[in-house]
Amino acid sequence: MTVPREQRRVFGEVAHAYEGVRPGYPAEILGLITAYVGRAVRTVVESGAGTGKGTALLRGLGVPLTCVEPDPAMAALLARRFDGDDLVSVVVSRFEDWIPPSDGVDLLASAQAWHWVDHTRRTHLAAEALAPGGVLAVFGHDYGFVDADLRAQLNLVYLEYAPEIADQPGRPVHSRHPGAFRPEELRGSPWFTDAEERRVMTVVRYDTARYLTLLSTFSPHRMLPEQQRSRLHRALADRVDAHGGVLEQKLTTWLWLARRT
Ligand SMILES: C[S@@+](CC[C@H](N)C(=O)[O-])C[C@H]1O[C@@H](n2cnc3c(N)ncnc32)[C@H](O)[C@@H]1O
């Protein structure tokens, strides 16, 4: 019997590509986190560290950082990246199965990965992991387009080749996910207070080949049957080529912060 592929497990299939093309996080995000925390941070845990793009940012705190990452291929790249760094330790585990220290950590962060943690339990798990007054920092990118016309053209391609992952009004492509983070999780939680959102905008340029590689790291694309994915990617590549072979992605990096009561 074939075991169905789980969407949360597909990143390891393209771990090297992921490391090569996914954008990291602007330094401002770390500044916003430290300003919100407002006191010294002694311990940090990162959920869903992947190949270490969020870790590289959090490492700037200069304190012990535990990276929890369930995928062995992603964790292997992460471990290699921070090999010899005494402050970074890698635990191959789902966040749901990780056992926090009994006195809790000062900061729990998750970059583009909180939506993979069981959404029915994650706020409580976060509260259990944090020391009183500790901070939860959940962040990630929304991938927008500098050129609205190109965005519309690409969406027509999605509608033709993969309507199941085409854009919907008011919701950026790639951001749809049943476990997507919702602010009410923190605002309505008895375990958290002072929930606040911050945003940082940047622009990242991709040529056609790198853009296709980027798309091949998005889980909704990975879940398409291979033939359908190739047809979709060929048609998207044609559009980007017709646009001059370069696409500017407008990244909105959102950050949600809340304090453990
Ligand atoms: C989109 S990647 C983000 C990786 C990295 N944080 C970054 O910003 O590039 C999502 C990561 O979450 C991990 N993940 C999936 N399920 C998880 C879970 N239950 N607990 C913790 N991490 C999980 C995946 O293996 C993957 O590495």
Side-chain angles (χ1 to χ4, degrees):
M1 200 178 76
T2 350
V3 182
R5 254 160 100 240
E6 261 193 278
Q7 193 166 345
R8 74 183 66 231
R9 304 298 305 273
V10 298
F11 301 100
E13 296 169 1
V14 283
H16 284 277
Y18 188 106
E19 175 53 22
V21 296
R22 284 280 191 121
Y25 299 95
E28 288 98 310
I29 293 291
L30 188 64
L32 291 167
I33 294 174
T34 48
Y36 179 91
V37 171
R39 59 179 188 179
V41 171
R42 291 157 307 160
T43 47
V44 185
V45 65
E46 183 190 4
S47 172
T51 63
K53 289 183 183 288
T55 317
L57 185 82
L58 298 165
R59 177 64 183 78
L61 291 167
V63 300
L65 169 54
T66 303
C67 301
V68 181
E69 167 53 50
D71 186 281
M74 299 293 266
L77 287 192
L78 175 66
R80 195 190 309 164
R81 179 168 183 172
F82 294 97
D83 186 26
D85 187 330
D86 292 342
L87 287 181
V88 178
S89 54
V90 177
V91 180
V92 183
S93 168
R94 298 188 320 153
F95 184 68
E96 294 89 326
D97 303 324
W98 176 71
I99 299 171
S102 54
D103 52 349
V105 294
D106 292 337
L107 176 67
L108 164 59
S110 187
Q112 203 86 36
W114 197 233
H115 53 290
W116 296 117
V117 177
D118 180 352
H119 67 279
T120 64
R121 294 198 288 146
R122 62 190 173 208
T123 311
H124 187 225
L125 290 170
E128 283 183 332
L130 285 165
V135 168
L136 173 64
V138 179
F139 54 100
H141 301 302
D142 277 344
Y143 288 78
F145 294 85
V146 169
D147 185 328
D149 188 49
L150 177 61
R151 174 200 172 124
Q153 287 178 34
L154 294 177
N155 205 45
L156 289 178
V157 176
Y158 279 94
L159 288 168
E160 183 174 350
Y161 292 91
E164 59 274 49
I165 61 168
D167 203 2
Q168 305 286 336
R171 298 169 85 191
V173 179
H174 315 307
S175 77
R176 292 178 294 285
H177 187 279
F181 171 75
R182 289 171 305 110
E184 309 83 75
E185 294 173 30
L186 299 179
R187 289 216 171 109
S189 164
W191 304 297
F192 286 93
T193 183
D194 302 336
E196 288 181 18
E197 188 192 19
R198 308 271 189 275
R199 280 166 185 254
V200 176
M201 310 282 282
T202 43
V203 172
V204 182
R205 280 165 73 89
Y206 286 96
D207 64 23
T208 309
R210 269 176 71 77
Y211 186 60
L212 283 199
T213 309
L214 175 73
L215 294 180
S216 76
T217 70
F218 288 121
S219 68
H221 282 250
R222 297 222 59 71
M223 294 305 285
L224 293 173
E226 211 168 308
Q227 254 197 354
Q228 185 187 4
R229 188 168 69 231
S230 322
R231 279 200 291 263
L232 170 69
H233 284 197
R234 262 200 306 275
L236 290 170
D238 288 346
R239 287 284 169 190
V240 179
D241 280 342
H243 190 73
V246 174
L247 176 150
E248 286 183 314
Q249 198 92 81
K250 185 162 78 182
L251 291 185
T252 304
T253 308
W254 50 269
L255 163 68
W256 272 96
L257 296 153
R259 207 178 303 280
R260 175 79 170 94
T261 49

